[in-house]
Amino acid sequence: MLKLSIYRDSSMAKPTSNSLKKNSGTSGGLPKLVPTTAESAHKTATFNKLYRSVMIKHFGDINQAGKRMELMFAKPEVETPSGLKASAVSTRAFKGSSFKAILPKLYTSPFEIIFCPDTKQSMYCQILFGLIQRNEVVMIGSIFASTVVRNIKFLENNWKELCSNIKTGQISEWITDSGCRNAASLILKPNPELADLIEDVCSCKSWEGIIRKLWPKTKYIGTVCTGAMLQYTAELEFYCGGLPLVSGFYACSEGAIGINLEPLCKPSDVSYTFLPNMVYYEFLSIKEDCDTDSQNQVQLNAMSHHEDTGPVDLVNVKLGQCYEVLVTSSMGLYRYKVGDIIKVTGFHNNTPQFQFVGRQNVALGVDMERTSEADILKAVAEAKALLDPLGLILTEYTSYGDTSSTPGHYVIFWEIKPKEGNNNNNNGKELDPKVMEECCSKMEDSLHFTYRMYRKENMIAALEIRVVKQGTFESLLDYFVSKGASLSQYKTPICIKSKEALNILDSRVIAKFFSPRTPTQDN
């Protein structure tokens, strides 16, 4: 019988081809290199055709209807010691000859802006070009929901300057990248009427439905909203004015794995259907089954494997069971641990369908307990509902286990903003301490039995919520991008491991709250 010790995880895989992909590194560690071949590129093209056919079925052929305002950010290639070129997965796609051919016709952003090395200048210009072509935009999106939200926040802070550029036909002087300036010169002409229209929309008291107001022909928002991205759905729904949030596919640097055959379903209900012709799948069974709560959010009760079983083939997975995904691919990966935990939710014909649960290597722990990414996601979802009566919305969060004192405790960083208006000067004064303390208690009540038992026995101290200034998570993103992460692939870490990232968060804390009681034991 095969032992777990021989399975190669992502840190052991070695490049075996003529080029390399680099993952984001924000899910649970440093960026890793993944080999790629001509055959893997062909499979990606096959996946794109399958995905497009599903979208045409539900939305028609948007390629014939207008343009996509997809927010895309490329990172420069790096050269490995062996002389191979390595780049982010998204960057490889953007550099492809087929993508370059369709870019001017189907997308609002030109090549020069996507490859601008300054992400702020690139973001500004992509939004500017999207506004100028607002009547042609039929789809808005990015790879991850966090990127869409960040761009809307950027627009919220810079719409006056953007309107001034459109009105005068001159781009701001701080846009110094030659590619951006040259591209802008081809499209930016004085248009006071359009500037006034955008100004009227953006100057309203509430930005609820702002996407539909600015881009009236948009059919849907295309972005991953499942897993760790669920935290952004409430804010996206606020901004999009009823437009569908479409999580169309599940993919990773190791390959395209699943497709959503029901793109109009709610993000919390999304199940992906495995694509068995992309890679060869095997699965390591998780010791405890997954439970799905009343809000359709998946919770892992344990993250350990069955020690007495080997890998399970795709045709032998069981409904309701959780597994860690292994892939063997034409890129030279053999039983490669992707690090993702999935739950089998059903079957399309005979093909298994699944929900993404979380990352195997992402967990909090300050004693003997282990708290999964899904546990944290569920607890935050329960607690943030208490902000509604205050007119506040939770925009971002992350966590870490503080063991600097005994006993240790969980720290959850929250970035909060008002639902109404464009107030970017949140200083924490409007936060009701009793409500915030109740948020702490609500999170603890929602965590797993082991955590609650350890809290009752004083083996874990009270959970703490630290509220940070608005814009803090943008600074966190900037830090990870500076370390090599691609903005297109960036995901806010659910659990912070980097000391530098933790320092960024701690330096911007404006209020601290602790749970005033031990959690309940009856759930």
Side-chain angles (χ1 to χ4, degrees):
M1 182 178 295
L2 294 169
K3 300 296 184 181
L4 295 181
S5 59
I6 73 168
Y7 298 161
R8 292 183 180 178
D9 65 16
S10 55
S11 64
M12 298 170 62
K14 295 181 179 180
T16 60
S17 60
N18 57 1
S19 61
L20 300 168
K21 295 182 288 188
K22 185 172 66 172
N23 68 12
S24 66
T26 54
S27 293
L30 295 173
K32 298 179 179 67
L33 300 177
V34 180
T36 184
T37 63
E39 184 178 349
S40 64
H42 174 72
K43 288 187 175 183
T44 299
T46 301
F47 163 77
N48 289 335
K49 291 178 182 178
L50 289 171
Y51 174 63
R52 184 166 181 254
S53 67
V54 173
M55 299 307 290
I56 288 175
K57 176 182 176 181
H58 290 85
F59 297 101
D61 190 351
I62 66 169
N63 290 348
Q64 304 299 321
K67 290 189 174 184
R68 307 162 185 255
M69 183 181 165
E70 290 207 37
L71 304 160
M72 300 172 284
F73 304 89
K75 294 285 291 183
E77 288 184 328
V78 298
E79 186 171 314
T80 66
S82 64
L84 295 177
K85 298 292 185 180
S87 61
V89 180
S90 54
T91 297
R92 287 187 59 81
F94 301 152
K95 291 189 70 174
S97 57
S98 58
F99 180 77
K100 289 181 182 179
I102 64 174
L103 186 62
K105 179 182 178 182
L106 300 183
Y107 295 85
T108 58
S109 297
F111 187 83
E112 298 86 348
I113 291 177
I114 296 172
F115 277 82
C116 173
D118 186 316
T119 54
K120 183 178 179 182
Q121 293 188 49
S122 176
M123 189 182 305
Y124 185 91
C125 290
Q126 290 195 55
I127 294 173
L128 176 64
F129 276 53
L131 290 171
I132 292 171
Q133 301 169 82
R134 64 184 294 269
N135 287 324
E136 299 179 64
V137 173
V138 293
M139 176 269 190
I140 292 175
S142 191
I143 296 176
F144 293 116
S146 56
T147 306
V148 180
V149 170
R150 188 181 193 225
N151 277 264
I152 296 300
K153 290 179 180 179
F154 187 87
L155 172 61
E156 196 170 358
N157 293 329
N158 295 278
W159 63 267
K160 291 182 180 179
E161 183 178 354
L162 288 159
C163 287
S164 176
N165 289 176
I166 295 171
K167 182 172 291 187
T168 62
Q170 299 292 323
I171 198 165
S172 299
E173 292 184 359
W174 67 271
I175 303 295
T176 57
D177 181 79
S178 59
C180 289
R181 296 195 72 86
N182 291 338
S185 67
L186 299 176
I187 192 174
L188 189 57
K189 310 296 180 186
N191 193 337
E193 183 179 351
L194 176 60
D196 290 342
L197 186 153
I198 295 171
E199 186 173 355
D200 287 343
V201 173
C202 293
S203 60
C204 60
K205 182 179 178 181
S206 172
W207 269 45
E208 185 173 4
I210 193 71
I211 293 177
R212 188 186 284 274
K213 293 174 184 177
L214 288 175
W215 294 279
K217 295 182 181 179
T218 303
K219 295 185 176 183
Y220 66 93
I221 310 296
T223 187
V224 174
C225 292
T226 54
M229 294 296 114
L230 269 174
Q231 63 173 297
Y232 300 100
T233 56
E235 194 168 11
L236 261 184
E237 288 169 347
F238 176 79
Y239 286 132
C240 73
L243 290 169
L245 301 181
V246 176
S247 291
F249 58 88
Y250 167 81
C252 54
S253 302
E254 296 75 36
I257 294 180
I259 195 167
N260 179 8
L261 298 178
E262 300 294 338
L264 288 173
C265 68
K266 295 180 180 179
S268 58
D269 296 333
V270 169
S271 285
Y272 301 101
T273 302
F274 275 104
L275 299 174
N277 58 336
M278 294 292 128
V279 297
Y280 181 75
Y281 303 100
E282 291 176 288
F283 304 88
L284 297 177
S285 179
I286 299 299
K287 186 171 292 185
E288 296 293 336
D289 287 352
C290 302
D291 294 327
T292 304
D293 67 13
S294 59
Q295 295 182 337
N296 293 311
Q297 295 191 351
V298 184
Q299 179 181 10
L300 273 180
N301 295 322
M303 297 295 282
S304 57
H305 299 107
H306 282 293
E307 297 179 357
D308 57 345
T309 61
V312 177
D313 291 330
L314 182 64
V315 295
N316 292 319
V317 297
K318 297 179 180 179
L319 183 67
Q321 177 66 43
C322 285
Y323 299 92
E324 181 178 6
V325 181
L326 305 177
V327 300
T328 298
S329 74
S330 59
M331 299 184 296
L333 302 179
Y334 174 72
R335 285 183 167 166
Y336 180 109
K337 282 188 175 182
V338 175
D340 290 348
I341 305 298
I342 58 96
K343 175 188 177 183
V344 179
T345 55
F347 296 87
H348 176 74
N349 296 327
N350 292 323
T351 305
Q353 296 178 308
F354 66 95
Q355 287 183 343
F356 174 79
V357 175
R359 296 283 298 177
Q360 166 72 330
N361 60 345
V362 178
L364 277 179
V366 295
D367 200 281
M368 296 296 291
E369 94 297 347
R370 288 296 178 265
T371 299
S372 72
E373 178 179 297
D375 291 328
I376 300 166
L377 179 63
K378 176 179 180 292
V380 170
E382 294 279 350
K384 70 179 182 180
L386 301 177
L387 298 177
D388 287 341
L390 301 181
L392 299 172
I393 185 170
L394 175 65
T395 59
E396 299 250 22
Y397 74 89
T398 189
S399 61
Y400 91 105
D402 186 351
T403 56
S404 60
S405 58
T406 304
H409 72 290
Y410 288 11
V411 176
I412 316 296
F413 293 94
W414 279 18
E415 184 174 320
I416 299 171
K417 77 168 190 176
K419 288 184 179 180
E420 301 291 336
N422 300 324
N423 179 14
N424 292 310
N425 297 312
N426 176 20
N427 58 14
K429 291 183 178 179
E430 68 272 23
L431 300 176
D432 186 329
K434 292 184 178 180
V435 174
M436 294 305 300
E437 289 176 358
E438 184 59 28
C439 287
C440 297
S441 294
K442 191 70 171 179
M443 284 197 66
E444 291 198 307
D445 290 343
S446 302
L447 290 173
H448 53 83
F449 173 79
T450 304
Y451 174 89
R452 288 180 279 118
M453 179 181 68
Y454 279 26
R455 273 281 287 124
K456 184 177 181 181
E457 296 176 358
N458 294 320
M459 298 171 66
I460 299 176
L463 181 144
E464 176 186 4
I465 289 178
R466 297 179 187 174
V467 180
V468 296
K469 296 178 182 177
Q470 288 186 36
T472 295
F473 280 81
E474 291 189 20
S475 298
L476 190 66
L477 181 151
D478 292 338
Y479 165 75
F480 280 109
V481 169
S482 73
K483 293 299 181 181
S486 167
L487 183 57
S488 293
Q489 295 176 242
Y490 175 80
K491 303 176 289 293
T492 300
I494 295 298
C495 303
I496 289 292
K497 298 181 179 180
S498 162
K499 290 183 179 180
E500 292 80 4
L502 183 59
N503 289 337
I504 290 171
L505 294 166
D506 272 331
S507 67
R508 291 163 171 79
V509 172
I510 57 177
K512 298 181 179 181
F513 306 94
F514 292 85
S515 177
R517 56 175 173 80
T518 56
T520 58
Q521 300 290 307
D522 56 356
N523 60 325

